[in-house]
Amino acid sequence: MSNASQQLISVHPEDIKFIFELEKQCFCDLKVVNNTEHHVAFKVKTTSPKKYFVRPNANVIQPWDACFIRVTLQPQNESPLDLQCKDKFLLQSTVVPPHSDIDDLSPDTFKKDGGKLVEECKLKVVYIAPNSASADAIRNSNGSPDISSNQAIQRAKEERDAAIRQTKQLQQELDMLKKRLQKGNSGFSLKFAIFVALIGLVVGLLLNFGPSSTSLYSTSPSSTSPSSTPPSSTSLE
């Protein structure tokens, strides 16, 4: 890609190269770099979606950060003439609000409407013979420490994003639980207040009829002692 500094993102390498072998799966790793101070979302499309598996096929890249994409070619039963492939990939990109999550973006995010800037980068597919010098170079680059470290970084970022999504979900569930508890507590408090009022009314009635009931049932001096108090008043408090 030319003028990468003027683009939202740049892709390395510029072509998707596969070491083509019949009935064997092969892959190509791409590095997508955000060249701006904004959060940029991208989406990958292909003319032959049944032949390729792209992970991730969409994501949000933080400012000046990078994301690694693995494009996997599924095992093929036929070899194209002279290994010439007409398949193409399209990578769309656009600026999104800060801290956006790819799962929360609108389906219209990558549509060119309303003057919104949506950049497109076309990538062609190149098949390489397994016994060629170009194939050896690709094998060496795929096995280099840089590629391994990049893949480890990518996995760490995916785990981080998954943890952030899980944290948001747990926070939403916690807020819903708090609201339910508040509603439940308000109902409980009203019922408890009515219950206490009824108990107080009954106790008041009993106290009003207290002298007559004491004269009927007292059989010992201790039952009429001034120090005795109704046990129910203590329990209510």
Side-chain angles (χ1 to χ4, degrees):
M1 291 177 57
S2 60
N3 300 327
S5 60
Q6 300 178 5
Q7 303 291 329
L8 293 177
I9 62 174
S10 55
V11 183
H12 310 280
E14 298 180 357
D15 296 328
I16 304 178
K17 300 179 181 181
F18 297 103
I19 302 176
F20 186 89
E21 296 184 72
L22 287 177
E23 299 181 350
K24 285 189 178 181
Q25 188 181 78
C26 53
F27 65 89
C28 176
D29 289 329
L30 301 176
K31 182 179 181 181
V32 183
V33 181
N34 182 354
N35 300 315
T36 73
E37 59 183 4
H38 308 288
H39 286 69
V40 176
F42 72 84
K43 183 177 182 180
V44 182
K45 297 181 179 180
T46 178
T47 55
S48 302
K50 294 183 179 180
K51 291 175 58 176
Y52 303 96
F53 176 75
V54 183
R55 181 186 180 189
N57 65 344
N59 206 350
V60 176
I61 310 178
Q62 297 183 11
W64 311 114
D65 203 352
C67 176
F68 294 89
I69 303 175
R70 170 159 291 190
V71 183
T72 303
L73 172 64
Q74 303 298 332
Q76 301 296 304
N77 298 323
E78 297 180 357
S79 176
L81 182 63
D82 297 328
L83 291 182
Q84 296 298 314
C85 180
K86 297 182 179 180
D87 298 337
K88 292 180 176 61
F89 281 78
L90 178 67
L91 195 149
Q92 296 177 303
S93 59
T94 186
V95 175
V96 295
H99 311 296
S100 297
D101 189 275
I102 191 64
D103 295 330
D104 299 332
L105 295 180
S106 168
D108 299 333
T109 299
F110 299 97
K111 287 186 177 180
K112 297 180 180 180
D113 53 4
K116 180 174 57 178
L117 175 62
V118 178
E119 292 186 355
E120 294 183 345
C121 172
K122 296 181 180 180
L123 305 171
K124 65 179 181 179
V125 177
V126 178
Y127 290 163
I128 299 175
N131 55 353
S132 64
S134 299
D136 293 336
I138 293 176
R139 293 189 185 98
N140 293 333
S141 64
N142 288 340
S144 65
D146 291 338
I147 293 296
S148 300
S149 61
N150 289 340
Q151 293 174 355
I153 292 173
Q154 179 65 24
R155 287 194 296 268
K157 289 181 179 179
E158 291 176 355
E159 293 175 357
R160 178 200 62 188
D161 294 341
I164 292 175
R165 289 194 295 269
Q166 186 176 9
T167 301
K168 289 181 179 179
Q169 183 179 359
L170 291 175
Q171 185 62 44
Q172 293 175 354
E173 294 178 356
L174 180 61
D175 293 340
M176 293 178 61
L177 180 60
K178 287 182 179 179
K179 292 180 181 179
R180 292 177 181 176
L181 289 177
Q182 290 175 355
K183 292 181 180 180
N185 288 338
S186 61
F188 174 78
S189 301
L190 179 60
K191 293 178 181 179
F192 183 75
I194 296 175
F195 175 75
V196 171
L198 291 175
I199 294 297
L201 179 62
V202 173
V203 171
L205 293 174
L206 291 177
L207 290 177
N208 290 334
F209 293 101
S212 59
S213 61
T214 302
S215 61
L216 290 174
Y217 293 98
S218 60
T219 56
S220 64
S222 60
S223 63
T224 58
S225 174
S227 62
S228 62
T229 57
S232 58
S233 62
T234 304
S235 63
L236 284 176
E237 294 178 358

